[in-house]
Amino acid sequence: MTPTAPSPTPRAAAAAGPTVAIDVGGTKIAGALVHADGTMTATTRRATPRAVDAEGVMAAVAEVVADLSASPLWASTVRCGIGSAGPVDTSRGTVSPVNIGAWRDFPVQERVAAELAARGAHVPTVLAGDGVAMTAAEHWLGAARGYANALCMVVSTGVGGGLILNNRLHPGPTGNAGHIGHISVAFDGEPCACGGRGCVESVASGTAIARWARDQGWKPSADSGAGAAPDTTAAGVAAAAAQGDPVALAAFDRAGRALAAAIAAAATLVETDIAVIGGGVAAAGDILFGPIRTHLAQYATLSFVQGLKVVPATLGTDAGLIGAAAAATMLLPPAPAATR
């Protein structure tokens, strides 16, 4: 199916001024002012603190906000989007990131809004999970641009995602709609960390790919460069697959089949036109996308999903900040100039 006309800047309201974007992850906390054309200024980042309490992590977020407030464009900001690793509960504005142990049900939206206000930015603020933020970014400026209905996925340590339906971001009541990683694709599969069984994440995440390959006897090459330890991660499995290792190829075929089944199920349920896949595992390229496309033909068989496309994400590491801004402009109502 061909895409519709390119989607406009989210809600077109971004033209009123830049959006404050905050991206919270397990390794870094980043910030930027994102403009109507997707360009970013005043970009800044801090390492996510380890071995600290909740306030220690929040202190790093506050430093990012402080850096942004030094921009001469700060006074013209009109909204703020926060993208965070999950789980998230956007109905309460809280996050409990798996990789940030100090934050459990942490009220990040309220706390960021307070930091903004303390620096003169009394602007509306919205929280989005990282999969939803990536979806908003790819629909605005990336591989899903111009498609009215899209599924976007992050395949990395875990498997997450989000949905665009009728050109609108669809986060669901708690911000977790489109979380495709926890669709079950194997009724008798192994238990998943979420408590379910046979979830996509338990088969197709980078962690699961590497674990399965090792369990089947795969061992990484000892020749990993000068003094470097052998790569036992999914990236190492991908490298071995590219060299024709049969176990490594089987690991990615298994992951591709799980992803294909889940993509077909989601597309059949809500009639998406395209599936966009990003994240570290997607860097394997055709080692991953080849099996997905091959197996998709076995699952996406009804006429209205036979034309479903599966493509790589295009925004890379910028997706978090661009997505936080895009989610804010898509989910918040158009706002007048902020009162300072």
Side-chain angles (χ1 to χ4, degrees), residues 4 7 46 74 84 89 99 103 111 117 125 155 178 198 229 268 271 291 305 309-310 312 315 318 322 331 338 340:
T4 59
S7 56
R46 295 289 189 279
W74 180 253
S84 177
D89 185 343
N99 294 325
W103 275 8
R111 294 295 301 275
T125 302
V155 183
T268 302
E271 292 195 55
V305 290
K309 294 181 179 179
V310 179
L315 295 178
D318 290 337
I322 292 174
L331 296 174
R340 301 291 182 178

Side-chain angles (χ1 to χ4, degrees), residues 300-329:
T301 57
L302 293 172
S303 60
F304 59 90
V305 290
Q306 286 179 353
L308 177 65
K309 294 181 179 179
V310 179
V311 301
T314 60
L315 295 178
T317 57
D318 290 337
L321 287 169
I322 292 174
T329 51

Side-chain angles (χ1 to χ4, degrees), residues 175-199:
N176 293 288
H179 200 338
I180 195 168
H182 295 288
I183 289 178
S184 178
V185 291
F187 294 148
D188 297 322
E190 63 183 86
C192 179
C194 74
R197 182 175 290 275
C199 293

Side-chain angles (χ1 to χ4, degrees), residues 15-87:
T19 297
V20 179
I22 308 290
D23 180 23
V24 179
T27 59
K28 59 99 172 56
I29 297 166
L33 301 184
V34 181
H35 302 269
D37 61 356
T39 58
M40 298 187 293
T41 56
T43 54
T44 185
R45 62 186 291 167
R46 295 289 189 279
T48 303
R50 302 291 181 183
V52 297
D53 61 10
E55 292 304 319
V57 179
M58 185 61 212
V61 178
E63 290 176 7
V64 166
V65 173
D67 288 351
L68 296 178
S69 71
S71 167
L73 298 174
W74 180 253
S76 63
T77 58
V78 294
R79 64 186 65 80
C80 173
I82 308 160
S84 177

Side-chain angles (χ1 to χ4, degrees), residues 214-243:
R214 292 193 301 268
D215 287 347
Q216 302 305 308
W218 172 78
K219 294 181 180 180
S221 169
D223 184 16
S224 302
D231 188 351
T232 61
T233 69
V237 180
Q243 297 298 316

Side-chain angles (χ1 to χ4, degrees), residues 262-283:
I263 290 167
T268 302
L269 186 65
V270 295
E271 292 195 55
T272 56
D273 307 317
I274 190 170
V276 177
I277 304 178
V281 176

Side-chain angles (χ1 to χ4, degrees), residues 91-319:
S91 68
R92 299 167 55 220
T94 61
V95 297
S96 302
V98 172
N99 294 325
I100 305 178
W103 275 8
R104 290 295 173 265
D105 293 323
F106 187 78
V108 66
Q109 184 173 339
E110 177 184 341
R111 294 295 301 275
V112 168
E115 288 292 332
L116 296 172
R119 297 183 180 278
H122 298 275
V123 296
T125 302
V126 73
L127 170 66
D130 52 5
V132 171
M134 175 264 193
T135 299
E138 290 291 335
H139 184 249
W140 180 17
L141 297 172
R145 180 178 173 86
Y147 287 86
N149 301 286
L151 166 69
C152 298
M153 304 171 62
V154 179
V155 183
S156 185
T157 305
V159 178
L163 290 167
I164 296 289
L165 300 178
N166 296 323
N167 278 315
R168 297 177 66 88
L169 190 62
H170 181 74
T174 65
N176 293 288
H179 200 338
I180 195 168
H182 295 288
I183 289 178
S184 178
V185 291
F187 294 148
D188 297 322
E190 63 183 86
C192 179
C194 74
R197 182 175 290 275
C199 293
V200 175
E201 185 171 297
S202 70
V203 179
S205 69
T207 305
I209 290 169
R211 182 178 62 246
W212 187 87
R214 292 193 301 268
D215 287 347
Q216 302 305 308
W218 172 78
K219 294 181 180 180
S221 169
D223 184 16
S224 302
D231 188 351
T232 61
T233 69
V237 180
Q243 297 298 316
D245 184 285
V247 174
L249 286 166
F252 271 90
D253 184 75
R254 179 174 180 266
R257 183 177 182 182
L259 290 166
I263 290 167
T268 302
L269 186 65
V270 295
E271 292 195 55
T272 56
D273 307 317
I274 190 170
V276 177
I277 304 178
V281 176
D286 284 343
I287 297 296
L288 177 68
F289 285 90
I292 292 173
R293 292 169 179 144
T294 296
H295 289 295
L296 190 64
Q298 302 170 12
Y299 294 106
T301 57
L302 293 172
S303 60
F304 59 90
V305 290
Q306 286 179 353
L308 177 65
K309 294 181 179 179
V310 179
V311 301
T314 60
L315 295 178
T317 57
D318 290 337

